[in-house]
Amino acid sequence: MNIETLILVLNKMFCKNIINADYQTEQLKGGYVGDVSLITGTAETDSNEKLPYKVVLKVQERWERIDDPNSWRREYDLYVSNLDSMFDESFRWAKCYHAEINNDETQTQLWIEYINGVTDRNLTIEMLEKAAEELGRFQGRICAQNPPMLQNISCFSDFSFVKNLYILYTVNDSVYDYIYSEDCPIPNHLRQMLIDVYGNSEIIFANRKKLPVVLCHRDLSAKNMFYFDGKIISIDWDCAGWGAMGEDITQLILPSWCRPYTGHTNIQYIDECYRKLIPAYFKGVLQYLNVPPIENFYIWEMIILRYAHAFPSCYMVAKSDGEKNELINILQKLYDLKDIKLKI
């Protein structure tokens, strides 16, 4: 790590003249989504003031996402744009103190604010409800104001991102064939639910083109969200782009601890999230926009489309009857959501 860069970051963080700093590093996560480290230590000012600090360093190597080749550097591009001006204190992203890209454009480094807030499995329903409302307010405000500067940011993913991802996971895929097979052990009514959504996918995607276009995070799960002092702070904007209103909220209906790949489910929250988070989202939207009734946003269908591949895939490789039953229980919960009538 470059100590000169660290001191530059600390100058911006504290708005003081930092002349020296010690540091320790702790890896928070690593992989193709970026190597993320927590940098801690004590900074020293030119007036001999000692300031303890925490800052996050995210190093992203170049990699290729199908149909989205520049996603690896999207966070860098967004942080050096004027996107920061679009947020307010109630809903914002983590501040970036310094962003750089190497000469051959194969690696980015982001020095980001450390958020000491509640996140992931520790988020309560009330916190998620707050997040849904603030998300709706943010997207409604941006859509209503349509600031010209957003049109000049060229690195956003495009409107077809979700559809392309769906096609990638379902066309010529063994999971897709598994669902259609009469030998599939998933109960018939749940299997038919998935088949019906598969069969109507083109209609669902076509109808969503009629909805207001908003700035989406596209990975706004509980693990990428922090609740701090009554405010919502989000991280990991590498999928961000233009999408349909309501698209992001589908990822909050199934909190990250309810998804099969976490190995830890808590299915009683699914119904409550659906009943509370969607109205909260539209409550925020309606502060800026007049929108059609909730049922016209195909949110239930998009939830099924989003996870139609994940749950059968996990069922196919499940190692115990307990794991299989857990997955069936989640699918049953999703099935039961269809008849719920939501009101704002």
Side-chain angles (χ1 to χ4, degrees):
M1 185 176 62
N2 189 321
I3 188 65
E4 292 180 355
T5 302
L6 175 60
I7 290 176
L8 172 66
V9 168
L10 295 175
N11 270 283
K12 293 181 179 179
M13 182 188 303
F14 292 115
C15 297
K16 294 185 177 183
N17 186 23
I18 306 299
I19 61 172
N20 196 17
D22 58 21
Y23 65 89
Q24 301 83 42
T25 64
E26 174 190 350
Q27 188 171 54
L28 299 179
K29 66 179 181 179
Y32 73 89
V33 295
D35 289 319
V36 183
S37 299
L38 175 63
I39 314 298
T40 61
T42 302
E44 180 182 353
T45 71
D46 57 359
S47 60
N48 295 322
E49 186 179 3
K50 307 294 185 181
L51 301 172
Y53 71 86
K54 292 183 179 181
V55 66
V56 173
L57 172 60
K58 183 173 183 179
V59 179
Q60 178 67 69
E61 303 288 344
R62 184 177 188 131
W63 65 285
E64 296 294 325
R65 176 186 282 138
I66 297 176
D67 292 327
D68 193 16
N70 290 320
S71 61
W72 73 275
R73 59 170 290 166
R74 180 168 290 122
E75 274 195 293
Y76 165 82
D77 289 328
L78 291 177
Y79 271 123
V80 298
S81 74
N82 291 321
L83 183 61
D84 189 67
S85 63
M86 295 294 98
F87 298 99
D88 57 26
E89 283 302 308
S90 61
F91 180 88
R92 65 177 178 86
W93 62 3
K95 297 176 183 176
C96 182
Y97 301 111
H98 179 68
E100 62 182 62
I101 189 168
N102 63 357
N103 291 333
D104 58 0
E105 297 192 349
T106 59
Q107 183 194 80
T108 63
Q109 289 191 14
L110 301 175
W111 293 80
I112 303 172
E113 170 189 13
Y114 172 75
I115 310 297
N116 185 23
V118 182
T119 187
D120 202 12
R121 300 181 185 184
N122 295 317
L123 288 164
T124 65
I125 295 295
E126 291 74 24
M127 292 175 183
L128 290 168
E129 195 172 3
K130 169 71 173 176
E133 183 176 347
E134 293 299 343
L135 171 67
R137 186 177 294 113
F138 168 76
Q139 292 184 334
R141 174 171 56 83
I142 298 301
C143 184
Q145 294 176 353
N146 191 24
M149 59 83 60
L150 279 183
Q151 310 307 319
N152 296 325
I153 299 179
S154 61
C155 61
F156 287 129
S157 58
D158 63 30
F159 189 88
S160 63
F161 179 92
V162 172
K163 181 179 180 180
N164 292 341
L165 197 63
Y166 166 78
I167 292 172
L168 174 66
Y169 283 124
T170 56
V171 174
N172 298 321
D173 186 84
S174 60
V175 175
Y176 186 80
D177 295 334
Y178 180 75
I179 292 299
Y180 276 84
S181 170
E182 294 183 359
D183 296 328
C184 178
I186 295 175
N188 286 339
H189 69 291
L190 301 180
R191 189 163 60 90
Q192 191 61 50
M193 172 182 70
L194 299 175
I195 291 173
D196 289 345
V197 175
Y198 280 140
N200 292 321
S201 61
E202 285 297 327
I203 297 174
I204 295 170
F205 284 121
N207 284 332
R208 288 185 71 78
K209 289 183 178 180
K210 304 173 185 177
L211 302 178
V213 176
V214 297
L215 178 57
C216 293
H217 181 285
R218 289 216 162 104
D219 194 16
L220 199 62
S221 61
K223 65 183 175 62
N224 286 334
M225 184 185 304
F226 292 81
Y227 179 92
F228 178 72
D229 195 25
K231 301 175 177 63
I232 304 300
I233 305 170
S234 55
I235 61 172
D236 289 353
W237 283 72
D238 61 280
C239 294
W242 301 113
M245 183 173 291
E247 180 180 312
D248 274 340
I249 198 64
T250 62
Q251 292 183 288
L252 289 181
I253 304 306
L254 287 186
S256 60
W257 58 86
C258 287
R259 296 178 189 165
Y261 50 79
T262 65
H264 180 90
T265 61
N266 205 341
I267 63 174
Q268 71 263 28
Y269 288 120
I270 298 175
D271 179 273
E272 191 173 4
C273 281
Y274 191 83
R275 291 179 183 274
K276 290 186 175 181
L277 270 56
I278 296 175
Y281 172 76
F282 281 94
K283 178 182 177 182
V285 168
L286 286 170
Q287 292 189 25
Y288 293 92
L289 296 173
N290 291 320
V291 297
I294 289 176
E295 59 266 22
N296 293 336
F297 279 78
Y298 305 96
I299 291 177
W300 181 84
E301 290 85 351
M302 288 304 297
I303 293 173
I304 306 302
L305 280 179
R306 185 177 289 276
Y307 299 110
H309 181 275
F311 286 105
S313 176
C314 290
Y315 189 92
M316 290 172 65
V317 300
K319 297 180 180 179
S320 69
D321 289 340
E323 292 178 359
K324 291 181 179 180
N325 289 336
E326 194 171 45
L327 291 163
I328 294 300
N329 288 338
I330 297 175
L331 284 174
Q332 182 64 50
K333 276 287 187 180
L334 296 179
Y335 179 88
D336 294 339
L337 295 181
K338 188 174 183 180
D339 295 327
I340 294 177
K341 302 300 182 183
L342 298 172
K343 296 181 180 179
I344 299 178

